[in-house]
């Protein structure tokens, strides 16, 4: 059959209802309950059927219903109020404008946007299914907080035709995957068109052909997210499928997507007229954007590769969410050459030089291309997503750059957060509004706002929490009935689903990706002990599980099956439930209704985790391994820790110890505390923990604080670096590139010939100093191009210096044979056995950090 001629059918809104279209295409409704409620009022049943999509709702609602609403005075009054609030939000002064007037564009034009945020997935709303899990939810929350704060940020991503899979279970509890086609024309997104009315497109060179993409805009409050769609007519059917699946397909499929995200993303911003000064790579998937940025700078500014790369790196920020090397994207060298060869050729460098930027050992020609390494080597700011993850990441990078002491590797950390307004349940939000005012929405990072939580009466807080737990129970029963019906269970099984869970029982939630390191089945390690807990005569507990395993992760699927089989045991079936198809909606019910959130990863493999943060804003308490964010958040009166942060070499012993601690905490601490009631049936001590958790953790673990941290620590500095390097015809960039070329050309001849303590005797009193001297060879380099340092500190049992500090040494004179003499002093600040080593580093003010470039004696 021939291809159809295409046209779109759009709803006809009566004039009084026209503001609905404006509201429908701004995802502010996804975190504003008044907007959400307005659309639900249009047609409650259809609102649920369309997965809460305003655009699909308006496209499918009966025209007679629209005509009826256009004459409904109550609805029109509601619409007018909501629309006025919406416009006030868009026009009101923001944190960014008030805090940084010197950085705010005078005319407020979109072309002055400064920050481009790249991510492979965005979890913004249930009706925009282009996310799989935590990374996407974080990206979505980042965008929402950027909007709330007025940060000049634009998002870049891919629009997936089928996205991530929908999950169901067969009769044996084995995960089944299905992919549903996204109808872009019924989603809250709009096609970007040029002045001629035609869609704006970009193209990227792939082997033997050009692949095109059109651009869709998602309005996220004040912020904009642009998504590239390869499902366009000029492309071959195979190329149209590049954007089909999120994290699906082969390594070649993944490489094709990451080329479009990185290279295509930069070209898209150029086509739209944006000229960002900061490029933020959220994980390494978008790292190829450095290639395109370098190419554009070389072409438009007549810069060399080295000059362009310095400018590019100065304004690139790289955030990694991976806690193990296996989590990095790796590509075979031949595959990379096949797809990137023509792009690298445009940079006037040899392909080996490009590959070296993505290899742990640049000289190993067989080593795969590592996207995280490539991102790190082209970014002057690198961070992990919790304090512990920052340490873990520095350790991983130390393995590939052992010349640098691990604590000196320039990788920082900014702990993740969540968008408070999105994840706070409507009932809890109403309570906060009553006792905290609007500031908890506008200024969630202000500690003084959350102190007012202590003003909420215990009975009122407990009543709201009980109501949320009851809603979770009702929702779980409805979902379970639907699941069982789909799996072919009998009517008696469906009827039994109506009795699953008890709205008065201590409810524990566990929901996340079912990767084996997250140890979802740890609580099943002692089934009989768990059964006694579930069915305790006076202190029962109940468990609600949810989560997906990657389609290729067989062990993860077996974990799900194990949980489902346990839940089907007649002895516990009223107390344990596994919910299919974990998504934003399921998550909202879970984090809004559980009493305790359980998290049992293998430390230190949880980079951050954010699901437990969502529970905080709803009055839930955390029970977790001391990993990720909980290392920072835990205090004895805000939740519970499993263990004290131990790490074991024997995984079986580790699991045994953690399981025993988990059960003991449930039996001796959590259960008795929850059921300890006063004469008014209030668990006063439990409620006190709820308040402590909200008041202390709420102002810290939210994305408004997180985005402010990114701005103050990285975005602002990157903007200044970019402006410095591009001023005066890129003079500083050219100067740094010349210095860099000299360093790389001559570094092999640099060496420390001799270093010594000048005075005799080994004992030094605390408070004194030690004079040291060194003789070094610099080859063709000059003293002003390097820093010579005495690296000093306590020595370990092997006479190494694990956590030393550098002390600058001063150039004294040039001796015969190209030797330079340096001297310096080391302060004696603590008693014990100390030592020092002399080292040489490249040095130029404002120059990029040269990861791994250091010469020790």
């Amino acid at each position: 059959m021939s291809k159809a001629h295409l046209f779109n059918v759009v709803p006809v809104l009566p004039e009084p209802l026209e503001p609905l279209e404006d509201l429908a295409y701004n995802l502010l409704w996804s975190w504003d309950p008044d907007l959400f409620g307005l659309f639900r009022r249009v047609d409650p049943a259809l609102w649920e059927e369309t997965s809460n999509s305003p655009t699909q709702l308006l496209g499918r609602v009966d025209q007679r219903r629209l005509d009826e609403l256009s004459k409904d005075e109550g609805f029109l009054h509601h619409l007018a109020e909501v629309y006025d609030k919406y416009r006030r939000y868009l026009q009101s002064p923001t944190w960014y404008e008030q805090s940084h007037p010197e950085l705010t564009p005078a005319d407020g034009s979109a072309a002055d946007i400064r920050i481009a945020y790249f991510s492979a997935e965005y979890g913004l709303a249930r009706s925009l299914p282009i996310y799989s899990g935590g990374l996407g939810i974080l990206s979505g929350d980042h965008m929402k907080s950027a909007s709330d704060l007025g940060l000049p940020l634009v998002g870049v991503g891919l629009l997936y035709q089928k996205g991530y899979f929908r999950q169901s279970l067969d009769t044996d509890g084995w995960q089944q995957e299905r992919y549903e086609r996204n109808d872009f024309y019924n989603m809250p997104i709009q096609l970007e068109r040029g002045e001629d009315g035609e869609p704006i497109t970009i193209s990227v060179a792939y082997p033997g052909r050009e692949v095109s993409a059109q651009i869709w805009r998602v309005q996220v409050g004040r912020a904009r997210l642009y998504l590239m769609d390869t499902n366009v007519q000029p492309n071959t059917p195979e190329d149209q499928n590049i954007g089909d699946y999120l994290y699906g397909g082969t390594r070649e499929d993944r490489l094709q997507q990451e080329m479009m995200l990185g290279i295509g993303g930069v070209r898209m911003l150029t086509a739209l007229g944006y000229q960002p000064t900061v490029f933020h790579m959220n994980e390494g998937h978008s790292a190829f954007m450095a290639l395109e940025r370098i190419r554009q700078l070389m072409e438009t500014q007549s810069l060399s590769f080295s000059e362009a790369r310095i400018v590019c790196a100065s304004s690139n920020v790289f955030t990694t969410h991976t806690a193990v090397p296996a989590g990095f994207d790796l590509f075979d060298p031949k595959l990379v050459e096949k797809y990137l060869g023509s792009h690298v050729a445009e940079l006037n460098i040899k392909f080996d030089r490009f590959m070296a930027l993505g290899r742990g050992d640049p000289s190993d020609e067989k080593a795969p291309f590592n996207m995280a390494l490539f991102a790190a080597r082209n970014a002057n700011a690198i961070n992990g997503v919790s304090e512990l993850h920052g340490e873990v990441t520095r350790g991983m990078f130390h393995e590939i750059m052992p010349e640098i002491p691990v604590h000196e590797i320039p990788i920082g950390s900014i702990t993740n957060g969540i968008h408070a307004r999105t994840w706070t349940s409507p009932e809890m939000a109403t309570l906060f509004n009553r006792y905290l005012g609007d500031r908890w929405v506008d200024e969630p990072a202000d500690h003084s706002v959350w102190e007012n939580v202590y003003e909420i009466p215990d009975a009122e807080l407990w009543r709201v929490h009980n109501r949320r737990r009851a809603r979770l129970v009702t929702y779980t029963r409805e979902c379970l009935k639907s699941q069982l019906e789909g799996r072919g269970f009998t009517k008696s099984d469906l009827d039994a689903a109506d009795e699953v869970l008890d709205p008065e029982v201590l409810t524990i939630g566990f929901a996340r990706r079912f990767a084996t390191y997250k140890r979802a089945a740890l609580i099943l390690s002692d089934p009989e002990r768990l059964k006694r807990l579930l069915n305790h005569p006076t202190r029962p507990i109940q468990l609600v599980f949810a989560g997906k395993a990657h389609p290729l992760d067989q062990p993860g699927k077996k974990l799900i099956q194990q949980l489902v089989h346990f839940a089907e045991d007649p002895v516990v079936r009223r107390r344990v439930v596994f919910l299919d198809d974990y998504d934003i909606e399921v998550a909202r019910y879970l984090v809004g209704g559980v009493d305790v959130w359980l998290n049992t990863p293998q430390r230190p493999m949880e980079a951050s985790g954010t699901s437990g943060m969502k529970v905080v804003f709803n009055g839930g308490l955390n029970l977790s391994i001391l990993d990720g964010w909980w290392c920072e958040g835990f205090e004895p009166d805000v939740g519970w820790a499993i263990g004290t942060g131990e790490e074991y070499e024997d995984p079986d012993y580790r699991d045994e110890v953690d399981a025993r601690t988990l059960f003991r905490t449930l039996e001796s601490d959590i259960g008795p505390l929850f059921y300890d009631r006063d004469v008014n049936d209030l668990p006063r001590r439990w409620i006190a923990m709820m308040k402590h958790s909200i008041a202390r953790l709420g102002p810290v673990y939210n994305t408004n604080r997180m985005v402010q941290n990114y701005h103050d620590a990285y975005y602002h500095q990157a903007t200044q670096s970019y402006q410095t390097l591009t001023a005066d015809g890129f003079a500083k960039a050219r100067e740094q590139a010349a210095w860099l070329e000299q360093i790389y050309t001559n570094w092999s001849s640099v060496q420390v010939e001799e270093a010594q303590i000048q005075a005799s005797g080994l004992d030094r009193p605390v408070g004194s100093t030690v004079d040291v001297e060194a003789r070094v060879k610099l080859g063709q380099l000059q003293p002003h191009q390097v820093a010579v340092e005495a690296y000093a500190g306590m020595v370990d049992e092997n006479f190494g210096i694990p956590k030393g500090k550098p002390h600058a040494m001063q150039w004294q004179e040039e001796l015969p044979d190209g030797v330079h003499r340096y001297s310096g002093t080391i302060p004696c600040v603590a008693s014990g056995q100390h030592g020092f080593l002399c080292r040489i580093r490249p040095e130029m003010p404002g120059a990029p950090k040269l990861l791994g470039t250091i010469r020790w004696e």
Side-chain angles (χ1 to χ4, degrees):
M1 181 182 295
S2 300
K3 289 186 177 180
H5 299 283
L6 303 177
F7 60 93
N8 298 324
V9 178
V10 296
V12 178
L13 290 174
E15 185 179 351
L17 302 182
E18 286 179 354
L20 283 174
E21 183 173 8
D22 193 12
L23 296 172
Y25 282 100
N26 191 317
L27 266 69
L28 185 62
W29 54 260
S30 70
W31 75 91
D32 187 303
D34 292 335
L35 280 167
F36 193 91
L38 177 72
F39 283 112
R40 188 180 187 281
R41 187 172 174 180
V42 172
D43 188 326
L46 188 58
W47 178 242
E48 295 301 320
E49 188 181 327
T50 58
S51 299
N52 308 150
S53 170
T55 50
Q56 194 173 352
L57 171 78
L58 296 179
R60 290 179 54 186
V61 68
D62 192 288
Q63 190 68 42
R64 287 173 297 180
R65 174 61 177 160
L66 292 175
D67 293 337
E68 178 184 306
L69 289 172
S70 71
K71 300 167 186 169
D72 184 329
E73 292 186 7
F75 183 84
L76 293 178
H77 178 72
H78 189 187
L79 172 59
E81 279 191 334
V82 168
Y83 194 54
D84 182 59
K85 178 184 176 184
Y86 163 77
R87 287 182 294 185
R88 288 201 309 273
Y89 173 87
L90 296 181
Q91 297 167 5
S92 61
T94 66
W95 168 85
Y96 181 73
E97 293 170 343
Q98 295 171 339
S99 302
H100 299 280
E102 77 283 3
L103 299 177
T104 305
D107 61 359
S109 63
D112 287 321
I113 198 85
R114 296 176 182 273
I115 304 153
Y117 180 82
F118 286 67
S119 184
E121 52 173 307
Y122 290 88
L124 289 158
R126 182 186 173 199
S127 56
L128 191 58
I130 56 171
Y131 65 95
S132 72
L135 180 69
I137 298 299
L138 178 79
S139 300
D141 285 4
H142 195 117
M143 292 290 302
K144 292 174 182 179
S145 281
S147 169
D148 289 342
L149 296 168
L151 203 67
L153 180 146
V154 59
V156 176
L158 298 174
L159 185 59
Y160 302 99
Q161 190 72 58
K162 297 180 181 177
Y164 205 54
F165 70 91
R166 302 293 301 273
Q167 178 197 52
S168 60
L169 303 180
D170 65 16
T171 54
D172 194 36
W174 191 256
Q175 175 178 289
Q176 304 293 309
E177 300 93 22
R178 69 182 189 279
Y179 292 88
E180 297 181 355
R181 184 182 180 85
N182 288 324
D183 180 1
F184 298 159
Y185 291 91
N186 268 319
M187 292 167 68
I189 60 179
Q190 292 176 299
L191 195 60
E192 283 293 291
R193 299 180 183 274
E195 294 181 358
D196 58 0
E198 292 299 312
I200 298 174
T201 62
I202 57 96
S203 66
V204 176
Y206 284 62
R209 80 273 189 196
E210 291 280 326
V211 177
S212 299
Q214 60 185 4
I215 303 163
W216 297 80
R217 172 167 49 87
V218 185
Q219 195 68 40
V220 187
R222 298 182 180 92
R224 291 184 173 188
L225 166 63
Y226 291 102
L227 304 171
M228 290 166 286
D229 164 27
T230 62
N231 189 28
V232 293
Q233 294 284 356
N235 292 337
T236 65
E238 292 75 20
D239 289 338
Q240 289 178 15
N241 294 338
I242 287 174
D244 264 10
Y245 302 102
L246 173 59
Y247 303 143
T250 65
R251 301 305 299 168
E252 187 165 0
D253 295 329
R254 177 72 70 89
L255 181 61
Q256 291 180 3
Q257 284 189 350
E258 297 188 357
M259 285 179 63
M260 184 58 68
L261 176 61
I263 298 172
V266 175
R267 293 184 181 183
M268 175 180 70
L269 292 173
T270 302
L272 294 171
Y274 291 112
Q275 295 180 330
T277 56
V278 181
F279 288 74
H280 186 169
M281 296 173 277
N282 190 40
E283 218 16 290
H285 307 117
S286 59
F288 289 138
M289 66 91 161
L291 273 185
E292 178 60 16
R293 288 198 65 201
I294 292 169
R295 187 197 68 79
Q296 288 191 6
L297 285 166
M298 291 175 68
E299 180 182 277
T300 61
Q301 305 299 329
S302 300
L303 300 178
S304 69
F305 172 79
S306 295
E307 293 165 348
R309 183 173 166 239
I310 283 175
V311 175
C312 173
S314 73
S315 51
N316 282 349
V317 177
F318 170 47
T319 298
T320 174
H321 298 257
T322 303
V324 290
F328 295 141
D329 274 343
L330 304 176
F331 295 111
D332 181 86
K334 292 182 179 179
L335 187 64
V336 176
E337 186 169 16
K338 173 183 175 182
Y339 278 89
L340 276 301
S342 63
H343 293 273
V344 174
E346 294 185 63
L347 307 180
N348 296 322
I349 61 171
K350 293 182 178 180
F351 192 75
D352 286 346
R353 182 174 179 183
F354 164 72
M355 289 296 295
L357 294 172
R359 285 174 167 152
D361 179 357
S363 63
D364 184 356
E365 296 181 359
K366 296 181 179 180
F369 187 87
N370 185 318
M371 292 293 284
L373 277 180
F374 183 71
R377 286 180 174 140
N378 287 284
N380 276 7
I382 312 167
N383 72 282
V385 289
S386 70
E387 290 179 6
L388 177 60
H389 182 235
E391 293 179 19
V392 170
T393 305
R394 287 189 289 275
M396 287 194 293
F397 275 70
H398 180 64
E399 294 178 8
I400 58 175
M401 49 187 72
E403 292 296 304
I404 302 182
V406 65
H407 65 282
E408 287 193 311
I409 291 176
I411 297 175
S413 64
I414 291 180
T415 303
N416 284 343
I418 60 104
H419 188 251
R421 193 63 196 87
T422 293
W423 295 104
T424 303
S425 66
E427 294 87 349
M428 191 64 78
T430 299
L431 190 64
F432 287 164
N433 288 339
R434 187 177 305 136
Y435 290 95
L436 279 64
D438 294 337
R439 288 183 62 209
W440 78 272
V441 175
D442 300 329
E443 303 173 61
D446 188 328
H447 286 257
S448 66
V449 172
W450 297 96
E451 286 298 315
N452 290 322
V453 164
Y454 294 108
E455 302 301 317
I456 302 175
D458 287 359
E460 202 166 344
L461 178 59
W462 191 243
R463 184 166 56 249
V464 167
H465 186 63
N466 281 340
R467 191 177 304 136
R468 287 304 310 174
R469 190 190 313 108
R471 285 188 184 276
L472 171 60
V473 169
T474 300
Y475 175 78
T476 300
R477 290 171 176 173
E478 292 172 353
C479 289
L480 184 59
K481 287 179 70 173
S482 177
Q483 290 174 201
L484 294 176
E485 189 173 15
R487 292 163 62 187
F489 278 72
T490 65
K491 185 178 184 302
S492 62
D493 292 316
L494 299 181
D495 292 340
D498 284 328
E499 299 179 0
V500 163
L501 303 186
D502 184 329
E504 302 297 325
V505 166
L506 170 61
T507 304
I508 299 174
F510 182 103
R512 52 193 32 86
R513 181 166 55 92
F514 267 69
T516 51
Y517 79 86
K518 293 179 182 286
R519 297 191 297 180
L522 188 67
I523 198 169
L524 301 185
S525 58
D526 191 339
E528 296 308 313
R529 193 173 181 180
L530 177 57
K531 289 176 182 178
R532 291 194 295 272
L533 271 169
L534 293 166
N535 294 309
H536 193 284
T538 58
R539 299 195 301 269
I541 69 171
Q542 55 196 12
L543 302 169
V544 184
F545 292 92
K548 298 176 178 179
H550 188 277
L552 300 179
D553 184 0
Q554 301 304 310
K557 292 183 179 183
K558 287 180 180 178
L559 283 177
I560 293 175
Q561 187 181 48
Q562 183 181 354
L563 283 169
V564 172
H565 285 177
F566 181 80
E568 290 173 347
D569 186 331
V571 176
V572 300
R573 67 185 307 173
R574 292 186 62 245
R575 294 278 189 251
V576 184
V577 177
F578 183 90
L579 294 178
D580 286 6
D581 209 24
Y582 185 44
D583 66 359
I584 285 177
E585 182 188 31
V586 176
R588 280 200 175 115
Y589 275 97
L590 276 171
V591 300
V594 298
D595 300 295
V596 175
W597 194 256
L598 178 63
N599 189 30
T600 53
Q602 298 172 9
R603 177 186 162 100
M605 296 179 68
E606 182 90 295
S608 174
T610 57
S611 56
M613 301 175 190
K614 300 177 179 78
V615 171
V616 167
F617 292 87
N618 292 285
L621 301 175
N622 279 273
L623 167 61
S624 175
I625 297 290
L626 284 173
D627 198 7
W629 79 281
W630 194 234
C631 288
E632 304 162 45
F634 170 70
E635 296 176 32
D637 54 355
V638 302
W640 297 272
I642 301 172
T644 58
E646 309 93 339
E647 295 177 23
Y648 302 94
E649 292 184 6
D650 184 341
D652 294 331
Y653 180 68
R654 175 202 60 213
D655 292 351
E656 180 185 340
V657 171
D658 287 346
R660 284 204 305 264
T661 305
L662 168 60
F663 279 109
R664 186 169 60 249
T665 304
L666 289 170
E667 293 164 344
S668 303
D669 297 332
I670 295 177
L673 190 69
F674 181 84
Y675 288 104
D676 177 22
R677 309 296 173 93
D678 65 7
V679 293
N680 296 312
D681 197 34
L682 292 175
R684 298 284 184 179
R685 291 190 298 150
W686 186 279
I687 295 170
M689 286 188 74
M690 292 170 64
K691 290 183 177 180
H692 291 325
S693 174
I694 297 169
R696 295 181 198 169
L697 304 180
V700 179
Y701 298 101
N702 64 80
T703 42
N704 279 44
R705 183 273 312 158
M706 182 191 81
V707 172
Q708 288 173 348
N709 286 171
Y710 272 110
H711 178 272
D712 295 342
Y714 296 133
Y715 295 163
H716 192 180
Q717 180 180 345
T719 296
Q720 291 180 322
S721 297
Y722 179 81
Q723 291 170 343
T724 298
L725 290 171
T726 57
D728 300 324
F730 293 82
K732 281 288 183 183
R734 299 179 197 277
E735 181 185 351
Q736 287 188 13
W739 166 80
L740 194 61
E741 197 63 36
Q742 282 186 296
I743 294 295
Y744 281 137
T745 302
N746 297 287
W747 193 249
S748 61
S749 60
V750 171
Q751 65 184 58
V752 179
E753 281 211 331
E754 180 187 15
Q756 61 185 10
I757 297 173
Q758 286 185 293
S760 60
L762 297 178
D763 294 335
R764 294 289 189 278
V766 172
S768 66
T769 59
V770 173
D771 294 325
V772 295
E773 186 176 273
R775 287 172 170 79
V776 304
K777 280 193 171 184
L778 302 181
Q780 297 301 312
L781 298 179
Q782 299 301 312
H784 70 272
Q785 295 177 305
V786 301
V788 178
E789 297 171 332
Y791 180 82
M794 297 281 289
V795 298
D796 59 19
E797 64 275 12
N798 298 314
F799 303 104
I801 306 173
K803 292 188 177 180
K805 291 184 177 180
H807 302 277
M809 300 180 71
Q810 288 73 43
W811 181 84
Q812 299 299 327
E813 60 179 328
E814 183 174 1
L815 303 173
D817 300 324
V819 175
H820 296 261
R821 184 172 70 87
Y822 283 77
S823 66
T825 59
I826 301 170
C828 299
V829 296
S831 60
Q833 190 172 29
H834 292 250
F836 93 96
L837 291 168
C838 181
R839 70 182 191 182
I840 309 171
R841 293 187 299 102
E843 175 76 352
M844 181 180 184
K849 303 177 182 71
L850 301 179
L851 296 178
T853 306
I854 195 165
R855 183 78 71 213
W856 295 84
E857 68 170 282

